[in-house]
Amino acid sequence: MIRLNAFFELKDGVSVEQLTTITNELVEKSLQDEGCKGYGLFQSTTSPQVFMFCESWENDECLQKHSNTPHFTAAVPQIGHLTKDGLKLERFER
């Protein structure tokens, strides 16, 4: 099992609504991808402009397929433009 946590902070002036317009579809469709064990977006309770995608995948093959889906390739660059320093990815395996 693979766990990915992608952290990012919204730029000043970017609203949560701007972000969720992009991320709601990404989360919904990603949950339907083959081998997806979980996929969610979480907002920090201590720093409201900080977010984390938390996703779990059956294996590398499923993760790679997900990374090439239209919903992923369209959303990630859009999210990147809303962040201060892009997404910082941490990968864990069990």
Side-chain angles (χ1 to χ4, degrees):
M1 167 119 35
I2 299 165
R3 165 64 60 95
L4 296 178
N5 292 334
F7 300 90
F8 61 94
E9 184 175 354
L10 294 180
K11 290 179 185 175
D12 293 336
V14 174
S15 70
V16 173
E17 290 75 24
Q18 286 174 279
L19 176 67
T20 56
T21 297
I22 299 166
T23 58
N24 285 347
E25 182 179 359
L26 173 62
V27 170
E28 181 182 316
K29 289 187 175 183
S30 296
L31 285 167
Q32 298 172 25
D33 287 345
E34 176 187 348
C36 181
K37 302 296 184 184
Y39 203 104
L41 178 67
F42 298 85
Q43 183 177 19
S44 171
T45 58
T46 55
S47 300
Q49 292 297 100
V50 175
F51 290 82
M52 175 187 70
F53 279 108
C54 184
E55 42 187 291
S56 298
W57 297 94
E58 191 173 301
N59 56 44
D60 274 318
E61 182 181 343
C62 295
L63 175 57
Q64 186 60 41
K65 286 180 184 178
H66 163 70
S67 298
N68 292 312
T69 60
H71 53 273
F72 181 85
T73 59
V76 171
Q78 292 178 58
I79 295 166
H81 290 298
L82 302 178
T83 70
K84 285 188 177 180
D85 296 312
L87 286 85
K88 294 175 181 74
L89 185 65
E90 293 286 338
R91 179 181 167 131
F92 303 85
E93 293 188 13
R94 175 175 67 156

